[in-house]
């Protein structure tokens, strides 16, 4: 286990993956004497001299080439590819023999250190000899991830020994390394671990006993130097795991811990994850590959505070009992528990085994807090003792929402516990809010001075605008650039228009009375009411799918474009004499406030209450039921949008010749090949005439003329030194070029060069007294 010397507890694998740091460690090459030879040594490299008292074997790669070399320090054995090491330290050598790693298999050597643990190891058969390297599963590649990244699918392996680093001979200490432990198990080697909970060497490593392992490094190296077994010593910087709590370097040591086996549920976790909606989606793949590579869960910790592990054991460890409830504890207790028994005292209760009659005491371990996080939903409802039906009706929950660092944390612990207990995923959707960064996409930091605190933003801009901004600017799971100016301009615009529309209704309310709107006769009325229902549907689906930005945008578009810019304009004349358009606006605003209430609760409530006398209201908008979309007329909306384009083009013509809409014009000519557009406009000709203020809308072609001017810059860039000739030719061929482009030609030939249309500025001109848009 990885173990923190300061916290004196084990850490699970996922607790170490994020907290690596470069640290300085000794880097030593030591000489193990070959058994039965004089002055002959196996060279071994290590960065943890403190593990040398726990050495039980040396591993070599069977297929790699090794050499015996004669040197001033005796005959040394190492991988042939690693001879550079001797060059580097200035030790001259002569190769005596080349041999394969497998030729070394089984050769014995002598202990490097004369310490009690080594004397014990030397008694074990099979220890202190050369063993052959084995292959390890390095990474399981989920087939889906593999395919996406275009890498070979399947698992990745690596060798315990390579001839690319160190000396090609690897010190094996199964008590102090994960892969060493696998090698040790494979060859039946002893597991020496002369290190206590505080990570000090024990009396088994005397004379180094009592030393903190990292301090012992130096003493051991010095001792080896004194007895002539140290070939080289230097310090190196390398990446090393630290404790996330206290930042102490972690030590690998053997300790007895509790594990939950993942293999029985791993496949189910992976297959259920396929059905979880991950937002953003890449997180789902990241999660799958994390689960794919996950190992058994070490859930026990040696800390004081925490939920006690409810396992009782016999003195000799042969019997173990997990207690699942207070009733069970009472029935197993060796003494009767009082009626008001406090569960905090459970740790002191001694049980009597129902099968053997042995006394059982509770293990002093507590749970990994991540286990708490995975089981919290059960604990919160008292499941399975209370609220069983409530819990089950909420399982799986529809959504959980947390930051992206929880892929290996809470999302994982929930999935593990959920699938482990109930056999199915505990959640249907996972969303991970994106980080908030500044308007340039830079992380907010004190040193950059670009931090905007949430409180300041709310104070400065108002809670409602800030909240609206977050439900409009981008998807909640994307990186969120916070731009104060956008809130000030765009969001304020939306709020102002909404407020002005509400004023419009209030000012006209005398005319409205308490009369509800009559059945909407006018086309634009039907269109707006249909649009309103489409917006209800869109906002609902946006909330359901956690695409909040779609909700904000739908409301923005409806209020600013549909109601204010389009409908109020279209109905402007009617507003003078007819109360029904105002009633329709009031009805729409009322619905808008209900849709807006979860986003901008204060403004929504104010507008809603103000409109109360006009269209009825409860005590607050927040008491309303969220609306469900009524029938919409999609076809009408589509045609209306097209008619809107024609009206906009008509108004643009007026702008071009600076003729205000009060001045009637004779004719709006629409030139189109699109029959659907023609039909839509013909059916709504009255509306178009009224809006553009023309006497008639007609459909026909108008012969326009075009003017062609060279785009000098583009021509020069494209044609280089031929530009001059082309321009001269153009000057005398303007008519022809214009005619060709009018017919739709994509290039013209000038001075023998085919010149593309894009290199000219071409303008279309209508006949006299017409404007074109
Ligand atoms: Zn620690």
């Amino acid at each position: 286990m990885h173990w923190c010397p300061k916290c004196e507890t084990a850490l699970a694998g996922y607790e170490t993956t994020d907290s690596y740091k470069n640290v300085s460690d000794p880097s030593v090459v030591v000489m193990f004497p070959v058994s039965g030879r004089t002055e002959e040594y196996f060279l071994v490299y290590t960065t943890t001299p403190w593990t040398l008292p726990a050495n039980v074997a040396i591993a070599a790669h069977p297929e790699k080439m090794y050499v015996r070399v004669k040197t001033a320090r005796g005959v040394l054995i190492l991988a042939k590819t690693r001879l550079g090491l001797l060059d580097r330290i200035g030790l001259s050598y002569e190769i005596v023999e080349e041999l394969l790693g497998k030729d070394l298999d089984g050769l014995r050597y002598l202990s490097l250190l004369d310490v009690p643990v080594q004397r014990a190891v030397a008694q074990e058969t099979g220890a202190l000899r050369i063993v052959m390297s084995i292959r390890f599963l390095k990474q399981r590649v989920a087939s889906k991830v593999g395919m996406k990244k275009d890498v070979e699918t399947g698992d990745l392996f690596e060798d315990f020994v390579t001839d690319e680093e160190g000396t090609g001979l690897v010190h094996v200490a199964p008590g102090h390394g994960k892969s060493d432990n696998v090698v040790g198990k494979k060859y039946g080697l002893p597991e020496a671990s002369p290190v206590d909970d505080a990570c000090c060497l024990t009396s088994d490593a005397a004379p180094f006993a009592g030393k903190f392992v990292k301090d012992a490094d130096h003493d051991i190296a010095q001792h080896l130097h004194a007895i002539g077994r140290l070939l080289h010593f230097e310090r190196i910087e390398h990446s090393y795991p630290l404790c996330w709590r206290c930042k102490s370097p972690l030590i690998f040591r053997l300790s007895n811990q509790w594990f939950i086996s993942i293999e029985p549920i791993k496949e189910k976790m992976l297959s259920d994850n396929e059905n979880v909606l991950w937002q953003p989606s890449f997180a789902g793949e990241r999660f799958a590959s994390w689960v794919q590579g996950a190992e058994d869960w070490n859930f026990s910790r040696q800390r004081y505070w925490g939920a006690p592990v409810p396992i009782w054991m016999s003195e000799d460890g042969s019997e173990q009992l997990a207690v699942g409830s207070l009733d069970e504890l009472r029935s197993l207790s060796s003494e009767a528990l009082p009626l008001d028994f406090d569960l905090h005292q459970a740790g002191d209760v001694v049980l009597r085994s129902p099968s053997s009659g042995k006394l059982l005491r509770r293990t002093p371990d507590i749970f990994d807090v991540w286990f708490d996080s995975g089981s919290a939903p059960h604990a919160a409802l008292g499941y399975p003792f209370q609220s069983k039906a409530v819990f089950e009706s909420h399982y799986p929950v529809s959504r959980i929402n947390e930051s992206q660092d929880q892929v290996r944390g809470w999302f994982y612990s929930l999935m593990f516990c959920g699938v482990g207990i109930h056999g199915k995923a505990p959640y249907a959707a996972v969303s991970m809010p994106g980080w908030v960064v500044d308007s340039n996409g830079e992380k907010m930091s004190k040193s950059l001075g670009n931090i905007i605190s949430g409180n300041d933003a709310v104070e400065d801009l108002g809670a409602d605008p800030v909240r609206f901004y977050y439900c409009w600017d981008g998807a909640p799971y994307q990186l969120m650039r916070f731009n104060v100016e956008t809130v000030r301009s765009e969001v304020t615009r939306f709020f102002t228009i909404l407020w002005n529309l509400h004023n419009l209704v209030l000012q006209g309310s005398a005319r409205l009375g308490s009369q509800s709107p009559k059945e909407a006769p006018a086309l634009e009325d039907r269109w707006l009411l249909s649009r309103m229902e489409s917006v209800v549907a869109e906002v609902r689906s946006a909330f359901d799918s956690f695409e909040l930005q779609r909700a904000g945008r739908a409301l923005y578009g409806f209020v600013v474009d549909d109601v204010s810019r389009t409908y109020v304009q279209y109905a402007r004349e009617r507003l003078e004499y007819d109360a029904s358009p105002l009633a329709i606006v009031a009805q729409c605003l009322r619905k808008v406030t209900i849709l807006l209430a979860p986003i901008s609760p204060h403004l929504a409530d104010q507008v809603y209450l103000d409109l109360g006398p006009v269209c009825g209201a409860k005590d607050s908008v927040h008491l309303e039921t969220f609306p469900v979309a009524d029938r919409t007329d999609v076809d009408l909306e589509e045609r209306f949008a097209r008619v809107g384009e024609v009206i906009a083009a008509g108004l643009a013509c007026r702008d071009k010749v600076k003729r205000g809409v009060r001045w009637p014009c004779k004719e709006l000519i629409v030139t189109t090949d699109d029959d659907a557009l023609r039909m839509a406009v013909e059916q709504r000709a009255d509306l178009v005439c009224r809006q553009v203020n023309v006497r008639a809308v007609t459909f026909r072609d108008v012969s326009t003329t075009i003017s062609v001017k060279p785009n000098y810059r583009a021509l020069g860039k494209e044609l280089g030194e031929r530009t001059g000739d082309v321009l001269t030719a153009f000057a005398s061929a303007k008519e022809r070029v214009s005619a060709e482009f009018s017919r739709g030609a994509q290039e013209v030939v000038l001075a023998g060069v085919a010149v593309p249309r894009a290199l000219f500025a071409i303008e279309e001109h209508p006949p006299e007294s017409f404007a074109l848009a």
Side-chain angles (χ1 to χ4, degrees), residues 695-716:
R695 289 199 199 102
V697 187
T698 55
F699 295 85
R700 59 188 159 94
D701 286 334
V702 176
S703 59
T704 55
T705 53
I706 65 166
S707 64
V708 181
K709 281 184 199 152
N711 182 337
Y712 294 103
R713 237 174 111 182
L715 275 167

Side-chain angles (χ1 to χ4, degrees), residues 177 206 208 210 230 309 343 345 373 381 411 436 448 453 472 489 540 545 586 658 708 727 735 758 772:
F208 308 105
L230 182 70
V309 171
L343 257 185
Q345 310 301 321
S373 80
L381 288 173
F411 302 147
V436 178
L448 289 174
S453 94
W472 165 79
S489 54
R540 222 171 214 288
S545 58
K658 300 195 168 51
V708 181
L727 285 175
E735 299 279 304
L772 180 82

Side-chain angles (χ1 to χ4, degrees), residues 251-402:
I251 303 298
F252 196 97
R253 66 185 283 264
L254 289 188
S255 73
N256 282 320
Q257 301 290 341
W258 297 96
F259 290 82
I260 308 174
S261 171
I262 189 174
E263 287 309 326
I265 55 170
K266 191 180 259 191
E267 281 311 312
K268 183 68 176 153
M269 283 167 79
L270 288 168
S271 61
D272 274 24
N273 185 53
E274 302 269 308
N275 300 323
V276 172
L277 170 69
W278 284 83
Q279 291 174 306
S281 58
F282 71 80
E285 287 162 30
R286 205 186 277 173
F287 185 78
S289 86
W290 172 249
V291 173
Q292 186 75 259
E295 297 174 351
D296 294 344
W297 188 351
N298 159 222
F299 67 86
S300 53
R301 293 291 182 277
Q302 293 67 49
R303 307 278 294 163
Y304 185 73
W305 293 104
V309 171
I311 297 177
W312 272 255
M313 293 166 64
S314 59
E315 188 88 23
D316 60 2
S318 64
E319 233 184 306
Q320 299 164 356
L321 204 62
V323 178
S325 68
L326 180 56
D327 289 345
E328 207 179 332
L329 188 73
R330 275 185 198 287
S331 70
L332 292 166
S333 175
S334 57
E335 289 171 27
L337 298 180
L339 276 177
D340 59 349
F341 177 73
D342 178 1
L343 257 185
H344 288 95
Q345 310 301 321
D348 302 331
V349 176
V350 178
L351 307 186
R352 187 173 296 283
S353 161
S355 51
S356 68
K358 281 184 190 167
L359 289 182
L360 311 174
R361 288 175 206 282
R362 197 188 72 83
T363 166
D365 296 343
I366 61 160
F367 276 109
D368 173 10
V369 286
W370 288 107
F371 189 83
D372 298 7
S373 80
S375 47
H378 305 81
L381 288 173
Y383 179 90
F385 308 108
Q386 300 159 12
S387 322
K388 199 158 186 276
V390 176
F391 182 91
E392 277 157 11
S393 69
H394 284 87
Y395 192 97
V397 294
S398 51
R399 173 175 299 274
I400 58 169
N401 188 43
E402 247 292 0

Side-chain angles (χ1 to χ4, degrees), residues 4 6-7 243 245-248:
C4 175
K6 195 168 169 203
C7 303
C243 172
R245 257 185 232 106
C246 71
K247 306 297 171 210
S248 303

Side-chain angles (χ1 to χ4, degrees), residues 714-728:
L715 275 167
K717 207 170 161 194
E718 184 76 24
L719 303 177
E721 54 192 22
R722 291 171 301 173
T723 311
D725 294 344
V726 168
L727 285 175
T728 315

